[in-house]
Amino acid sequence: MRDLVFVSYRKDDAAAVAGRIADSLKHHFGEQRVFFDATDLRVADVWNAAIDAALADTAVAIVIIGPKWLEARTTDGRRRLDLQSDVVRREVEVALRDAVTVIPLTVDGASFPTIDDLPEALKALAEYQGDKVRRDQLSHSTFDHDMDRLMRNVSRVVAAQRGPTHDAWRKLQPKRRTSRLGDAARALLTNAAIPPTITRRLAPDPFLRQEPYRDIEEYGAETPVAQYLPYVEIKNWCDDIVAGRRPDIKVKVRKGEFELTSWGGGDGDAIRDEALAVALHEKPKTFNGPAVRVESAEASQLSLWLTVQRARYFTQRRSNLALDYRYTTARGSVLTLRDLLRQEYGAHLPPLDDTRMANTLGVAALIFVRDGEELTPYLMSRAKEVAVFNCGGEWHCTASGVAEIEPDRPDREPYFYIDTMLKELDEEVGLLEHDLDFLEPVAFCREMTRAGKPQMFFLGVTSLGRTTLRSKLTAARKRTKEKGWVVENTAMPLWRRPSEISDTDALKLFHDKGFTIEAAACLHYYFKCRSMA
């Protein structure tokens, strides 16, 4: 199987940035899986033979294009790309000839070459979707952002070399069909003697109540997916996952960026504006990043149709995430957005197309670690500083976040949900697509806690060992801190093998810490899939 990443560049054009890119690639993919001539050609190697051998094992070739790449010339004025002896030309030509996936990557402000700029043998290069790495001389933030995106794109290509993985769930299931830690979690979650509050209220949240049992009661006209889970299911793909079929999700992206509409007369607009101001005062680092509003979600037996639109995080901060902010009216009474919605919709969730609510999509994945005949859930402990579910200390899913649509990549719009999930796994625990044996959406729901805010749940499996997982988690947390972001998880995931912990101890561990409702939902769908396997 081809699994090498080949870095092509001109030394007098982009040697410094190429070295940084190669270092990052080696960190993510391993020293032996990246070819960079400055470090991988040894004394006495035959140049062309070594390059040909590397390209024969290459899954993806990154062609780094700097300002001098196209017009570099010999001492007698001839353009190097027009010469058969030019090393860069030969690298690109062989990669194109051998059907290697090529990523043209511009650096240092260079432009992509057009088909007319290139010699005949390299014209196919202009047909490939390229990428860019920008340099921010002051903060390096754009460079780091672009590098993270590049690593995920390369990982996607490397993972694709393995062939389809959507049927891997069936193949990866342990023969004994048991998971002691998972069974202990289910025993806790489904125990009728334990109030189904799931999360502990270690600290009051002025914006969003965290009382799942109360949510289920108040939205009594809706049917929760389980007696303890405040989610209404729109579609689940358990049948597809168990049968080895890829979930069929069709996406329509509306143009423009969504804006909340007014509540009209009354106090609605004042409530949400004050709630945002207080939230930003309490957490000034909150970033108004990209989000995706779900306008409609229609499910059939086979498919899910989503109509979505680009949005911003503050739209949900002023609506779905501020539902229980207690606003004192001019008359001295206390009012919340949830009160206003209840007056209009009673015990029903508001429809997705209510434009006073952002209804931005959240994604959450629970990855399972292969432990011989067991699958151990990779549960993270939630930090107190996170934006939502900030009680702190609960067991949470492996990674979660707000969905976004990558700009300037219309070819990826239909897959924005999986791309976002992979981005969150990379940022929070350092897992890229090629690190996973399996990752697919398992359910699309609406969450009662946030008045019907849509949520997509994923299940995944990795065969990486704990030493590697620890290294990736540590590196991800370090990168997050260096960027000045809030680290959403603690450094202590639940990694104890099932053989190392008794069911009694596991039950106590889960009972003492509790779960976020997202983690509980992921576990619910895992058990559902396992019972069908």
Side-chain angles (χ1 to χ4, degrees), residues 330-342:
R331 300 173 298 279
S333 59
V334 175
L335 191 64
T336 68
L337 292 180
R338 199 185 298 272
D339 293 333
L340 296 178
L341 291 173
R342 190 183 301 112

Side-chain angles (χ1 to χ4, degrees), residues 60-81:
V60 55
I62 300 175
V63 180
I64 298 177
I65 301 171
K68 300 178 182 178
W69 185 87
L70 187 64
E71 292 299 330
R73 296 185 180 272
T74 62
T75 55
D76 59 1
R78 292 179 296 168
R79 193 174 73 151
R80 291 183 184 176
L81 276 185

Side-chain angles (χ1 to χ4, degrees), residues 13-14 16-17 20 106-109 132-144 146:
D13 173 43
V17 70
R20 293 180 67 184
T106 61
V107 299
D108 296 335
K132 61 185 176 183
V133 170
R134 298 162 292 173
R135 294 183 67 180
D136 187 328
Q137 299 294 341
L138 296 178
S139 68
H140 306 291
S141 60
T142 54
F143 181 88
D144 293 340
D146 293 346

Side-chain angles (χ1 to χ4, degrees), residues 1-8 26 31-42 45-62 87 90-92 94-95 97-101 161:
M1 181 184 74
R2 291 184 168 190
D3 63 356
L4 199 68
V5 181
F6 188 99
V7 181
S8 171
K26 290 188 176 187
E31 292 276 347
Q32 304 304 315
R33 296 178 67 181
V34 177
F35 181 86
F36 182 59
D37 63 0
T39 55
D40 295 302
L41 282 177
R42 295 165 298 183
D45 276 350
V46 178
W47 189 286
N48 286 344
I51 289 175
D52 286 352
L55 285 168
D57 292 329
T58 293
V60 55
I62 300 175
V87 174
R90 192 170 191 281
E91 291 171 347
V92 179
V94 172
R97 182 196 68 198
D98 293 352
V100 172
T101 298
Q161 298 296 312

Side-chain angles (χ1 to χ4, degrees), residues 8 14 35 43 46 57 61 64 72 139 189 240-241 282 309 314 345 358 370 384 388 452 463 501:
S8 171
F35 181 86
V43 174
V46 178
D57 292 329
I64 298 177
S139 68
L189 290 170
D240 299 271
I241 286 175
E282 290 189 358
Q309 187 176 16
F314 284 179
Y345 297 112
R370 296 184 71 180
K384 294 182 180 180
V388 185
S463 297
I501 185 170

Side-chain angles (χ1 to χ4, degrees), residues 463-530:
S463 297
L464 296 180
R466 276 164 173 70
T467 300
T468 301
L469 291 171
R470 167 68 68 187
S471 175
K472 287 179 174 291
L473 172 61
T474 301
R477 286 172 52 80
K478 180 181 178 182
R479 290 199 308 270
T480 299
K481 291 178 182 178
E482 289 173 346
K483 293 173 182 176
W485 298 351
V486 174
V487 180
E488 296 191 7
N489 50 38
T490 70
M492 297 299 293
L494 182 63
W495 274 347
R496 295 170 67 181
R497 289 182 171 85
S499 59
E500 297 173 350
I501 185 170
S502 69
D503 288 347
T504 301
D505 288 342
L507 277 168
K508 184 177 186 303
L509 186 68
F510 289 141
H511 182 272
D512 289 348
K513 294 198 69 168
F515 294 86
T516 64
I517 58 174
E518 292 165 309
C522 286
L523 285 166
H524 167 82
Y525 283 108
Y526 162 68
F527 289 123
K528 187 176 181 69
C529 288
R530 203 182 69 173

